[in-house]
């Protein structure tokens, strides 16, 4: 297989994304195939230093096919799991159906196994691509929580803007010591994607709640509803305390992660989003209760 691809003028490289040339070629592939600009990360500390790219390059030096793996420590059912994530999987149209993606997937998974990762996770709209490599869909749910706030307190929230260096410093510092936002299922560390998602997602607001030493990420939807997207804090505050400090009077709200640490009643309903989360692991059982990874953790 590799011999055939090399005979076609293609060259395989495995490389750390701290290398500026490797990062630039992956960024260009993502812009061309998905229309996503990941270069704002250059102003926010750079790409995840744990990232490893598995790439085939064309004779003219263009990146033809790529899949990147990165360390994604997770909290799953109360246990810290040494997991990896796969992202940036794409093949340029003129190089498709030659087996390039199968090849980089096999290489990335061999590397993950050799590194001792207990599980590998990915997002996709094409689960069939990965089922043949041992991945299965982790069904996600949507959560609605009940709140009992008065809304009569004065808001004590300091708005944060990631384009301001002081605010970026605070967010980066707090990401380094955050507690997973759920004991059921949550990322334990994943700073770079948080920063990129918080910057690029629409209508996302970030605020620091001093009384709780917590960064809250939320969205005020057009219909007046409120969506709690993430919490970055050394200890997760209770939902009612968060809402009081934000000055919000609400009885129901959408929570973008399992609210098991928020001290509130909640319901979970299955999510039918075509973008699915998949996991491959011989060691880690799939979580039994309803789960979700928040938008801020998408990768
Ligand atoms: C999907 C994509 C990565 C496939 O790349 P490719 O190099 O043409 O794939 P390969 O030739 O290595 O084929 C790998 C296998 O996947 C299968 N496959 C290819 N495209 C597929 C698709 N859209 N859905 C399901 N399976 C697919 C092939 O049949 C093949 O199976 P086989 O090995 O059993 O024959 C490529 O079309 C692409 O970049 N698409 C746009 C971006 C994208 O969707 N990326 C995946 C993000 S999760």
């Amino acid at each position: 297989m590799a011999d055939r691809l090399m005979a076609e003028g293609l060259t395989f490289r495995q490389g750390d994304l701290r290398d500026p040339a490797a990062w630039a070629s992956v960024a260009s592939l993502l812009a061309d195939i998905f229309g996503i600009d990941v270069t704002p990360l250059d102003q926010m500390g750079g790409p995840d230093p744990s990232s490893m790219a598995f790439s085939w390059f064309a004779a003219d030096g263009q990146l033809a096919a790529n899949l990147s793996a990165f360390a994604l420590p997770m909290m799953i059912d109360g246990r810290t799991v040494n997991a990896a994530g796969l992202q940036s999987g794409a093949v340029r149209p003129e190089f498709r159906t030659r087996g390039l993606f199968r090849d980089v997937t096999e290489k990335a998974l061999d590397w993950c196994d050799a590194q001792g990762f207990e599980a590998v996770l990915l997002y996709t709209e094409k689960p069939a691509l990965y089922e043949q490599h041992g991945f299965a869909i982790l069904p996600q749910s949507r959560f609605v929580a009940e709140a009992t706030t008065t809304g009569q307190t004065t808001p004590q929230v300091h708005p944060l803007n990631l384009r301001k260096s002081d605010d970026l410093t605070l967010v980066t510092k707090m990401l380094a010591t955050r507690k997973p936002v759920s004991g059921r299922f949550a990322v334990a560390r994943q700073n770079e994607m948080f920063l990129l998602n918080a910057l690029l997602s629409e209508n996302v607001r970030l605020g620091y709640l001093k009384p709780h030493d917590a960064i809250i990420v939320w969205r005020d939807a057009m219909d007046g509803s409120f969506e709690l997207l993430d919490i970055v804090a050394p200890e997760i505050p209770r939902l009612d305390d968060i809402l009081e400090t934000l000055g919000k009077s609400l009885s129901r709200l959408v929570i973008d992660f399992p609210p098991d640490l928020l001290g509130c009643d909640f319901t979970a309903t299955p999510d039918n989003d075509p973008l699915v989360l998949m996991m491959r692991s011989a060691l880690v059982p799939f979580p039994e209760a309803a789960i979700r990874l928040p938008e801020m953790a998408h990768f």
Side-chain angles (χ1 to χ4, degrees):
M1 167 71 168
D3 291 347
R4 175 174 62 75
L5 294 171
M6 283 189 277
E8 291 174 23
L10 292 155
T11 310
F12 176 74
R13 264 181 246 154
Q14 175 181 331
D16 186 329
L17 282 188
R18 283 175 298 186
D19 169 26
W23 171 236
S25 54
V26 170
S28 154
L29 182 74
L30 296 178
D32 293 347
I33 305 296
F34 298 111
I36 298 170
D37 180 12
V38 293
T39 57
L41 274 177
D42 295 334
Q43 272 71 55
M44 298 193 294
D48 186 332
S50 72
S51 291
M52 183 62 72
F54 300 84
S55 317
W56 280 98
F57 286 87
D60 63 359
Q62 190 182 42
L63 178 55
N66 185 80
L67 186 61
S68 304
F70 63 101
L72 181 65
M74 296 285 300
M75 171 63 67
I76 301 179
D77 279 340
R79 183 167 89 78
T80 305
V81 172
N82 177 25
L86 295 183
Q87 64 179 177
S88 311
V91 178
R92 288 193 187 276
E94 59 272 37
F95 297 99
R96 288 181 188 164
T97 68
R98 298 194 206 175
L100 286 175
F101 197 66
R102 166 172 282 280
D103 186 70
V104 289
T105 305
E106 285 170 357
K107 286 183 162 85
L109 290 174
D110 286 350
W111 181 82
C112 288
D113 292 343
Q115 296 292 308
F117 287 112
E118 297 170 85
V120 184
L121 290 128
L122 58 82
Y123 277 103
T124 187
E125 288 187 357
K126 298 173 178 129
L129 260 182
Y130 300 100
E131 277 158 1
Q132 56 184 320
H133 296 284
F135 284 87
I137 294 175
L138 272 173
Q140 297 196 89
S141 295
R142 295 198 169 273
F143 296 96
V144 173
E146 311 289 331
T148 51
T149 52
T150 63
Q152 285 165 0
T153 48
T154 310
Q156 296 179 68
V157 52
H158 169 74
L160 296 169
N161 179 346
L162 290 174
R163 297 188 195 276
K164 289 189 184 165
S165 72
D166 285 357
D167 290 355
L168 178 60
T169 302
L170 173 70
V171 176
T172 307
K173 190 175 126 234
M174 291 198 59
L175 281 168
T177 55
R178 77 179 301 181
K179 180 174 176 176
V181 75
S182 158
R184 279 185 191 179
F185 197 82
V187 295
R189 184 214 166 274
Q190 196 219 34
N191 305 356
E192 293 75 15
M193 289 314 300
F194 176 96
L195 293 173
L196 194 63
N197 290 328
L199 197 73
L200 301 184
S201 296
E202 275 182 32
N203 302 325
V204 165
R205 297 176 65 189
L206 277 79
Y208 177 64
L209 306 191
K210 194 161 186 216
H212 308 299
D213 188 26
I215 291 169
I216 305 298
V217 188
W218 78 95
R219 179 182 286 123
D220 291 305
M222 304 285 269
D223 63 1
S225 63
F226 176 94
E227 201 179 351
L228 180 59
L229 298 175
D230 208 351
I231 302 168
V232 180
E235 288 303 325
I236 304 300
R238 292 169 56 84
L239 180 63
D240 285 348
D241 294 338
I242 292 170
L243 296 175
E244 293 284 2
T245 313
L246 281 171
K248 297 273 180 194
S249 174
L250 294 165
S251 55
R252 283 163 70 81
L253 66 154
V254 172
I255 311 264
D256 203 27
F257 50 86
D260 49 289
L261 300 181
L262 297 184
C264 60
D265 290 335
F266 61 88
T267 53
T269 48
D271 180 10
N272 298 317
D273 195 327
L275 182 72
V276 294
L277 184 62
M278 301 186 87
M279 184 164 95
R280 167 191 181 267
S281 179
L283 303 167
V284 182
F286 274 41
E288 283 182 15
I291 59 126
R292 177 173 196 79
L293 269 192
E295 189 177 326
M296 292 305 111
H298 279 196
F299 57 88

